[in-house]
Amino acid sequence: MATPRFLPHNRLDDLIRQLQAAGYRVIGPRLQEGVIAYGELAAATELPWGWQDEQTPGRYRLQRTGQPLAFAWATPTQGLKPWFFAPVEPLWRMRRTSDGFELAACLPQEKPLAILGARACDLAAVARQDAILEHDPHYQARRQDALFIAVHCTRPAASCFCASTGTGPRAMRFDIGLTELDTGFVVEAGSPRGRGLIEPLALAAASAEQLATAQKAVAAAALRQTRHLPPGDLAARLAAHSEHPHWAEVAQRCLACGNCTQACPTCFCHARSETASADDQTAEQARHWDSCFGELHGHLAGFQVRPETAQRYRQWLTHKLGNWWTQFGESGCVGCGRCLTWCPAGIDLTQEVAAILGEAA
């Protein structure tokens, strides 16, 4: 479909039914316990119509807008990471037998996911996790057939800075791309699968005015972002400031709780643990998310390599913005701003980097 189409709000359910009929489990943003979070969608009425989020360092609030829009907010509380890289999951189970033991892998067997409303920053994060977990069978089992319906962001939060990281507000990888206008969506196909799902809807072509309005809204969203990170590989510059006194100043505020790493859509640290049944007949190994701020994470070869909070914060930030380039050829930050919002101390990554590098935030 070379020509963008227009999907009225009252036909969004047609797209959802199309996805369900194609065998997808549809995931999208919903109001859940006072926040907007991804969850399973049965119908368009479950979307957060008429709500917007207010996000600043250490603060998250929802507000009613009175506008009949489903995506007039910035980011859900979590990115897409939990849907492909589970917070906790069994890797294998063992059962004792008469002549030894049997070992069985625990690969997930689930319906393919269709993510409706994926943000540009979260899709960029998925691309980063694709590279990190390329050979992880559990991740690939969930990820390989997933379909992404992006909604280009037109209302960033005060915590967002994806324009400076080059990851938004317009999504770059998607099967179907949507831009929400007052009465519906401009629709683009980004893949043959996306085109195959759109064509049966027989949508009218988007008008020149609708296309111009959509482009203007996304461009304006980029201009409204006030936070930013310096561009490019910061490894050498951060290494040159490895003993800067600001690391210790941040540590006075940082609780080392690890919230930033749990909310981050690209952090991938994890640990494994084994449990056995009381009768010693079965055992299981599980994987769970870990954090470089945790006490045990830095305990290597018999001693703690990062005993101080300042060292852990420096490890997290220099890896995210510097060493990640060496490993994966790009930054580990996608500018979603969740590490700011969900930090209970309101620590602002963009301001800390500016202070350490001696730049204005």
Side-chain angles (χ1 to χ4, degrees):
M1 187 184 71
T3 303
R5 303 288 171 174
F6 186 74
L7 175 68
H9 276 142
N10 61 10
R11 291 201 58 198
L12 189 54
D13 269 328
D14 293 347
L15 175 59
I16 293 174
R17 284 192 289 269
Q18 185 83 357
L19 295 169
Q20 293 166 337
Y24 291 102
R25 181 185 177 201
V26 182
I27 305 300
R30 304 176 45 158
L31 289 178
Q32 299 179 34
E33 301 179 345
V35 301
I36 294 174
Y38 288 116
E40 186 155 2
L41 279 182
T45 53
E46 296 174 332
L47 293 166
W49 295 93
W51 290 90
Q52 67 179 23
D53 51 0
E54 176 192 342
Q55 299 191 46
T56 57
R59 178 181 172 82
Y60 179 100
R61 295 289 187 278
L62 290 181
Q63 300 172 334
R64 289 187 182 276
T65 66
Q67 297 176 307
L69 300 174
F71 296 93
W73 42 269
T75 54
T77 53
Q78 275 277 3
L80 299 174
K81 182 171 71 174
W83 295 96
F84 304 117
F85 176 33
V88 180
E89 67 178 326
L91 298 181
W92 53 255
R93 294 189 177 94
M94 187 196 72
R95 183 178 68 87
R96 192 182 294 278
T97 64
S98 59
D99 57 349
F101 61 87
E102 291 179 349
L103 196 65
C106 302
L107 287 175
Q109 296 182 347
E110 303 167 3
K111 294 173 69 173
L113 300 179
I115 309 293
L116 173 61
R119 292 306 200 190
C121 54
D122 289 332
L123 290 170
V126 169
R128 282 153 174 75
Q129 294 229 312
D130 283 351
I132 296 162
L133 300 169
E134 179 182 4
H135 302 295
D136 184 281
H138 294 76
Y139 177 85
Q140 292 298 334
R142 299 185 179 94
R143 170 68 183 85
Q144 61 184 354
D145 295 322
L147 184 94
F148 297 101
I149 302 99
V151 176
H152 307 304
C153 186
T154 56
R155 190 198 167 278
S159 54
C160 294
F161 50 97
C162 65
S164 71
T165 56
T167 50
R170 179 181 166 79
M172 290 176 281
R173 292 197 330 172
F174 51 81
D175 294 291
I176 299 172
L178 307 177
T179 306
E180 188 171 29
L181 306 181
D182 287 345
T183 58
F185 303 88
V186 170
V187 183
E188 311 160 70
S191 73
R193 280 198 304 169
R195 183 166 54 248
L197 289 161
I198 294 170
E199 286 179 346
L201 298 176
L203 301 173
S207 68
E209 181 181 359
Q210 288 168 333
L211 291 174
T213 301
Q215 292 173 0
K216 185 177 179 180
V218 176
L223 294 175
R224 283 204 297 274
Q225 295 182 21
T226 57
R227 286 181 163 80
H228 73 275
L229 279 178
D233 183 351
L234 300 182
R237 297 179 65 190
L238 289 170
H241 294 82
S242 62
E243 301 303 324
H244 195 289
H246 195 73
W247 297 113
E249 196 282 325
V250 177
Q252 293 296 315
R253 292 176 280 134
C254 177
L255 305 176
C257 64
N259 260 20
C260 51
T261 59
Q262 303 301 294
C264 176
T266 66
C267 278
F268 60 92
C269 286
H270 57 272
R272 299 184 182 198
S273 59
E274 291 79 31
T275 56
S277 61
D279 61 4
D280 207 26
Q281 296 300 302
T282 61
E284 177 182 289
Q285 184 184 74
R287 175 170 67 183
H288 53 85
W289 291 359
D290 201 357
S291 170
C292 52
F293 284 87
E295 180 75 21
L296 293 178
H297 191 83
H299 199 270
L300 305 172
F303 70 102
Q304 173 57 258
V305 299
R306 292 185 288 274
E308 304 295 334
T309 298
Q311 296 166 329
R312 296 175 193 176
Y313 188 82
R314 183 176 61 190
Q315 157 67 22
W316 174 69
L317 191 144
T318 56
H319 182 230
K320 183 75 66 182
L321 304 181
N323 298 334
W324 202 296
W325 283 86
T326 305
Q327 289 179 282
F328 306 112
E330 58 188 351
S331 173
C333 179
V334 294
C336 69
R338 291 186 177 93
C339 61
L340 284 66
T341 299
W342 298 104
C343 174
I347 293 173
D348 182 339
L349 169 74
T350 63
Q351 292 187 357
E352 312 311 338
V353 170
I356 290 165
L357 298 182
E359 297 183 349

